[in-house]
Amino acid sequence: MMELNKQIKKYRTMMSLSQEELAEKVYVTRQTISNWETGKSYPDIHSLLLLSSLFNVSLDQLIKGDLEMMRETVSKKEIKEFNFYGGIFSVLLLGTMVTVAPLAYFLGIYGIAITFVLFVITMVFAFKVESYKKRNNIQTYKEILAFCNGERLDEIARKQEEAKRPYQDILKVLISGTVSFVVTIVLFKLLEMIF
């Protein structure tokens, strides 16, 4: 729950100011003060600075509870979006790998065109996932798992994971290429045996 509304009311009451008197001092209407204190609206940065100065408290002290909640909300939103795009990417990647052989076998050039479109859509989601990873500085599997669980690695663990990144990048490319190749060959062979 946001705490700034309580903080404004607390400091205003401590200074024995009415809502009208506070409004005059920070150049807003009495209704604006009322909205701030009831949590219906939030002061802009200029008003926050005036309130901080008037109440003789640091900006951090005035909004500390709100900052923590905002950080947590942003983090939860980022994690949810990362998991959502990661899930879509995984399904699309698997779908592309599994359907490439049957589509090419049964539809020829049209099947290859469909596979290409599926591949492009998969890459769009891959870039979305990568942008989340870069924005949150997560690259290795351990970092990704920690991020998905809403956790952060300590400094030593982060340095160890950073050292693994180049090797994991090469390994990811080799494994995904090999798996895609093997799946495609196996599916082609199965289709030839069946038909």
Side-chain angles (χ1 to χ4, degrees), residues 100-102 105 181-195:
V100 66
Y105 188 82
F181 179 75
V182 168
V183 167
T184 303
I185 296 299
V186 167
L187 286 173
F188 261 117
K189 294 294 182 189
L190 283 174
L191 288 170
E192 284 177 350
M193 286 175 21
I194 293 171
F195 298 100

Side-chain angles (χ1 to χ4, degrees), residues 3 13 28 50 54 60 64 80 99 101-102 104 114 127 147 152 154 157 166 172:
E3 295 294 322
T13 314
V28 296
L50 288 172
L54 178 69
D60 185 52
K64 186 146 181 81
K80 188 176 179 181
T99 60
I114 293 170
F127 286 123
F147 179 78
R152 295 283 179 200
D154 63 25
K172 280 189 266 186

Side-chain angles (χ1 to χ4, degrees), residues 66-82 132 135-136 147 152:
D66 289 346
L67 285 177
E68 292 303 316
M69 194 195 81
M70 286 179 205
R71 280 190 198 113
E72 192 174 301
T73 301
V74 168
S75 179
K76 284 181 182 175
K77 183 180 179 220
E78 288 267 315
I79 292 167
K80 188 176 179 181
E81 287 178 358
F82 178 79
Y132 278 96
R135 192 169 42 242
N136 291 286
F147 179 78
R152 295 283 179 200

